[in-house]
Amino acid sequence: IAQHMEFQAQHLANIVWAFARVRAKHPVTQATMLALLPHCTKQLDTFKSQEVSSTALAVAKCFGHEIDHMEKRATNVGMRGSVFPSIEPPPVHAFFDAATPWALARLNEFSAQSLANTVSAYAMTQVSGATSLCAAVSQEVMRRYDN
């Protein structure tokens, strides 16, 4: 479907969020996500901060690790904060690779909810840029708190 239609940023974000919300780990959801994600990456400059954060969280729900599961496993093996092997497909990495500098340049435009969704998405995935993005979000939160 995606090859034959041009979706706007809001439509893409809404579609991937709806699929992830209903059955995130289902093969049809993951296949749909992988088909639409390159379009999201290509159109990233037309996205708003809420659309980027909701797309990132939807992708993380489909392909990332649940945070509670990660904490339990890390505690059980005595390695809090341990690194899990990367299992995310290349389109997921491509999206996050493009989204990281995009988000870093616009953190002041993110709502508190969008900041929270973005941090959750990066925490659930093993993608490059997670450390720098989370540190920058922390600074943004503290800046807002101080004002």
Side-chain angles (χ1 to χ4, degrees), residues 3-137:
Q3 287 87 2
H4 304 295
M5 298 180 75
E6 276 301 314
F7 293 110
Q8 295 176 353
Q10 183 180 4
H11 300 145
L12 286 166
N14 289 345
I15 292 166
V16 298
W17 177 248
F19 270 93
R21 183 164 166 78
V22 176
R23 295 190 69 188
K25 300 293 185 183
H26 192 275
V28 171
T29 297
Q30 292 181 334
T32 302
M33 190 73 66
L34 290 175
L36 293 175
L37 206 49
H39 297 277
C40 295
T41 304
K42 182 179 174 184
Q43 296 182 39
L44 193 61
D45 286 335
T46 67
F47 276 55
K48 297 177 183 170
S49 57
Q50 180 182 356
E51 295 160 350
V52 170
S53 68
S54 68
T55 300
L57 188 56
V59 171
K61 286 180 178 291
C62 286
F63 297 103
H65 302 281
E66 291 296 326
I67 294 170
D68 289 342
H69 172 73
M70 289 170 39
E71 285 297 318
K72 285 179 188 171
R73 183 170 173 194
T75 300
N76 288 343
V77 295
M79 297 173 52
R80 246 181 170 326
S82 66
V83 176
F84 289 82
S86 179
I87 58 168
E88 293 86 7
V92 171
H93 284 278
F95 174 78
F96 279 98
D97 287 348
T100 301
W102 188 97
L104 287 169
R106 296 167 178 85
L107 285 179
N108 63 321
E109 299 171 13
F110 281 59
S111 68
Q113 184 65 55
S114 291
L115 289 173
N117 288 347
T118 303
V119 167
S120 294
Y122 277 82
M124 293 166 65
T125 56
Q126 295 295 312
V127 293
S128 61
T131 302
S132 62
L133 185 108
C134 290
V137 169

